[in-house]
Amino acid sequence: MKKLLSWLLIVSFVLTLLVPFTGLIVHKLASTVFLLLCLGHALVYRKKLGTRRWALLGGVVLAFVSGVLSLVFAALPWVLALHKAVSISCVFFLAIHIFAYRRILKGD
């Protein structure tokens, strides 16, 4: 079950990143699924969550909220710039997290 959750997280993560190819609607749907899977992932591994992992989850939630706000406040370009900055930093730290815990995906 944990391995399936990890693979679903990776698939939704990649779909979220492919916004130039898939379009905004797929991006919104994939990011919503990714957020829900991240919350489920945090519940499964809640006993192992340290400060950095809580910060990573907070960054994902912040990226989602800033994305919703960038849709609501489309006239304010700084909101979209904030969303891009937070999202790029989250992608960077999520890639490190995936690399550090890739043994789960291998089945070890």
Side-chain angles (χ1 to χ4, degrees):
M1 185 68 177
K2 290 181 180 182
K3 192 172 184 179
L4 176 66
L5 179 63
S6 297
W7 279 107
L8 288 174
L9 272 166
I10 287 179
V11 168
S12 64
F13 178 64
V14 169
L15 279 175
T16 303
L17 293 178
L18 292 176
V19 67
F21 302 113
T22 60
L24 191 60
I25 293 173
V26 174
H27 174 70
K28 288 190 261 184
L29 290 172
S31 64
T32 303
V33 169
F34 182 70
L35 177 66
L36 293 174
L37 288 173
C38 281
L39 294 174
H41 184 71
L43 284 174
V44 169
Y45 292 102
R46 67 184 172 271
K47 294 183 180 177
K48 295 181 182 180
L49 287 179
T51 307
R52 288 183 284 178
R53 293 180 188 152
W54 278 110
L56 184 59
L57 182 62
V60 169
V61 171
L62 181 64
F64 184 81
V65 169
S66 67
V68 170
L69 289 177
S70 69
L71 292 171
V72 173
F73 300 113
L76 300 173
W78 62 270
V79 178
L80 183 61
L82 174 71
H83 173 64
K84 287 181 180 180
V86 170
S87 297
I88 289 171
S89 64
C90 276
V91 167
F92 177 73
F93 289 115
L94 282 168
I96 292 172
H97 180 74
I98 291 168
F99 181 75
Y101 295 99
R102 70 187 180 279
R103 70 181 180 278
I104 294 170
L105 297 173
K106 291 180 182 178
D108 295 342

